[in-house]
Amino acid sequence: RQPFVRYRCGDLGIKKVRLFARDDDLNIGSCDVNIQIIDTFSNCPNGNFFDISGMIFNVARDPIGGGVALLNENKYQGRNHGLNGEYVFRRLQTDSCYMVSVEKDSSALNGITAMDLALIRQHILNLKRITNPYYYIAADVNNNEAISTTDIALLRRLVLELDQEFTFVPSWRFVPEDHKFTNEQNPFDPPVPYAETVCLMNASIPFVNFIGIKMGDVNGSADLNRLNGPQSRNESHKVR
C-alpha cells in the first residue's frame, strides 16, 4: 500500500486505482476506482492521444443543458456536464475503444401535460399517428417497445401527481445522432442504441453527437435546461 501514487507523462489516460480507508476502530475497507490522468498545463510532449467530444441537443437541434457525458458508463471517469450542450473527454489513449453515453437527471413531469396524453391517444386510435421516431420512443414509457394505453395510464399518474418518477424508463434517453431509423412503422427495429462505441485507431478527431429524448414528451415542450425540482403546471387541457 502506498500513501500516494506518482504518475508521469507516459501514464496519461484511464487508470484503475485501489483506494483504502481505515476508521477509528481500525476497520479497513477498499474499493477500485477509475481515474483519468490528464496533462492540465500541457507540460507533456504530444503523444498518441485524442479527444472525444460532441454536442447534446433535441430533435430541433436546440442544445440540452445539464447532460452528463459518460465514458464506459462511468459518470466519475472524466465527468463532463454539457451545460451548453457540449461535452469533451480529453487525451484518451489511441488503440483503444471507448463507449460514450449521456444521462440527465430531470423531473419526470418536465414537458408532460394532458396534450401529450391526447396525442398518444390519437396515435393508438389511428386518428393521427406519431411519425417522428424520437417522439415515438418518448411515448413508450413502460419500455415494451410499443405505444399502448398502458403508457397513457402511467403518464396520467404523473400528471395527476400520483407518481413522481418513471418506473420503467429514465427521465431522458439519448440516441447517437448517426443512428438511422430504417423502419418507418417501428423505430425499435433495428434496436435503438443509447451509447456509441468509439475506437481511437487513426488521426481522425472523434465527434459524437447525441439527440435527447424527454420521455413522455411527444410534442417537444420540455424545458431543456431543467434539472430536478418543482415544475409549474398551467395547463388548460382536461385529463381524461
Side-chain angles (χ1 to χ4, degrees), residues 83-103:
L83 297 178
N84 58 352
E86 300 178 354
Y87 75 91
V88 61
F89 294 101
R90 298 193 181 280
R91 296 188 66 81
L92 301 175
Q93 291 179 315
T94 57
D95 300 326
S96 299
C97 293
Y98 302 90
M99 186 174 68
V100 183
S101 58
V102 177
E103 68 177 26

Side-chain angles (χ1 to χ4, degrees), residues 112-120 122 218-219 235 237-238:
I112 300 175
T113 67
M115 177 59 73
D116 297 288
L117 276 66
L119 292 173
I120 295 173
Q122 289 178 4
V218 298
N219 63 353
E235 178 59 51
H237 301 281
K238 294 182 179 180

